[in-house]
Every structure is written in C-alpha cells, then in structure tokens.
C-alpha cells in the first residue's frame, strides 16, 4: 500500500489511463490476428513458400513488447509502483539527510 493517499480524481484518471492502454493492446491484438490470417490465406492460395510466418513473427514480437508495457510495466502496475515507491523513499532519504 502506498504511504501517500490518492485522490478520487487521480484514481479515476489512472483507471481511465490503464483501461485505455489495455483497450489499445486488445485492438492491436485483434488487427494482428486478422491481418496475419489474411496473409496466411494469401500465402496458402499462391502456393510455394510459407512467407506469411515472417511478418507474423516480427509483428508478434512488437505485440509482445506492447503487452509487456501495458500489463507488466504500465502505470499503476505493481512492479512499476514498487519501483516508484522505492525511488521516492530513496530521494526523500537523500533530501532529509543532506538538507537539514
């Protein structure tokens, strides 16, 4: 739990920001699936080498990094909040140790 209190407005702003980030990832994932299905069908119909796997891998990595940013490192996520809390405490110790 944070040592600072969060106002209702800040809490609402954070909730809206996190929801928008998650919706953005879901839209990204939906477009990824639809486009790569189209590319797979196109590659299958034209025969020969299955080239559609290459854009799927490249784009899939981008989608994975986007997901990490949203669900693991995004605003309000526990890992990020713990890092912010520790950094805030360290800065406060430095300020109080050298300021007075």
């Amino acid at each position: 739990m944070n040592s600072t209190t969060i106002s209702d407005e800040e809490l609402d702003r954070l909730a809206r920001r996190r929801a928008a980030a998650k919706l953005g990832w879901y839209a990204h994932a939906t477009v990824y699936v639809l486009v790569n299905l189209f590319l797979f069908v196109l590659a299958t119909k034209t025969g020969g080498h299955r080239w559609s796997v290459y854009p799927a891998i490249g784009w899939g990595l981008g989608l994975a990094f986007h997901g990490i940013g949203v669900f693991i490192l995004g605003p309000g996520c526990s890992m990020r909040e713990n890092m912010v809390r520790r950094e805030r405490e360290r800065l406060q110790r430095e300020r109080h140790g050298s300021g007075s």
Side-chain angles (χ1 to χ4, degrees), residues 17-30 62-81:
R17 186 172 173 194
R18 288 181 70 185
K22 289 177 183 180
L23 285 172
W25 186 86
Y26 291 131
H28 186 180
T30 301
L63 182 61
F65 285 125
H66 185 183
I68 289 169
V70 169
F71 294 104
I72 297 174
L73 301 176
C77 292
S78 61
M79 182 178 175
R80 181 180 177 143
E81 290 303 314

Side-chain angles (χ1 to χ4, degrees), residues 1-2 72-90:
M1 192 117 187
N2 288 346
I72 297 174
L73 301 176
C77 292
S78 61
M79 182 178 175
R80 181 180 177 143
E81 290 303 314
N82 286 335
M83 292 174 76
V84 168
R85 180 185 47 78
R86 285 193 304 259
E87 187 64 22
R88 185 183 301 120
E89 289 169 354
R90 185 185 66 78

Side-chain angles (χ1 to χ4, degrees), residues 2-5 83-100:
N2 288 346
S3 60
T4 60
T5 59
M83 292 174 76
V84 168
R85 180 185 47 78
R86 285 193 304 259
E87 187 64 22
R88 185 183 301 120
E89 289 169 354
R90 185 185 66 78
L91 290 170
Q92 286 175 345
R93 281 193 310 272
E94 286 178 6
R95 182 175 63 185
H96 293 305
S98 63
S100 297

